[in-house]
Amino acid sequence: AVNEWTEANNSSYTHIRTGNGTGPQPDPDPTPGTLENTCLTQGPTSSQDLTSGKAICVPNASSDNSIQYYYVYVPSGTSSLKIESDHGTGDGDVYYKGSTWATSTAYDQRSANPTNQESVTVTNPERGYRFISVIGQRSGMALKVTLE
């Protein structure tokens, strides 16, 4: 699997997981691709307030520059904030910013794979409202935020 993201210093990293040729390798994420496809059972959610552990269906967009804004409240003691998306067609990318709305030019972290399958994990996020944006052309994309 190849994953690329840019962090606060805007340096780009490409991570490639490979085996050593001795047989199956343990998967560091034992449940990849398990995000429920909420777009099959509910309409698009335009409400910006996300709830931890509850997947939503992101509104469809036909432009590469289309932005859908969301936020989530992070309580004290949260050790990680995980944002994941999957399903549908297109190229909806996920952006995160701790202080204000995330955009394609102002973000702390992003996941910009060539499909709707994205993942961002923020370690030890500060308490308060945190901001997530989905940018790009997409249809049938599910999104979920998990606080741990």
Side-chain angles (χ1 to χ4, degrees):
V2 176
N3 296 311
E4 182 177 336
W5 65 86
T6 302
E7 306 215 4
N9 64 4
N10 286 333
S11 298
S12 182
Y13 301 93
T14 301
H15 295 264
I16 303 172
R17 182 176 34 138
T18 61
N20 63 6
T22 61
Q25 300 297 307
D27 190 338
D29 180 5
T31 56
T34 58
L35 176 61
E36 61 206 84
N37 190 351
T38 55
C39 296
L40 295 177
T41 59
Q42 64 181 258
T45 301
S46 57
S47 171
Q48 295 177 326
D49 188 9
L50 298 176
T51 302
S52 177
K54 182 181 178 193
I56 62 156
C57 183
V58 178
N60 297 341
S62 58
S63 167
D64 290 340
N65 297 322
S66 293
I67 300 178
Q68 182 68 37
Y69 296 105
Y70 296 103
Y71 61 87
V72 64
Y73 184 81
V74 176
S76 302
T78 301
S79 61
S80 72
L81 181 158
K82 181 175 183 180
I83 308 158
E84 55 187 323
S85 67
D86 203 354
H87 304 296
T89 59
D91 183 16
D93 297 328
V94 173
Y95 291 78
Y96 166 84
K97 189 157 180 72
S99 59
T100 189
W101 297 115
T103 69
S104 61
T105 58
Y107 56 88
D108 295 332
Q109 292 185 46
R110 74 172 181 173
S111 178
N113 293 313
T115 66
N116 286 340
Q117 190 173 28
E118 308 292 347
S119 179
V120 171
T121 300
V122 180
T123 304
N124 297 320
E126 292 185 28
R127 180 181 64 84
Y129 287 99
R130 301 293 162 238
F131 303 90
I132 299 151
S133 300
V134 177
I135 302 175
Q137 187 178 38
R138 64 209 174 256
S139 176
M141 180 181 189
L143 178 76
K144 182 165 90 171
V145 173
T146 305
L147 302 174
E148 295 180 342

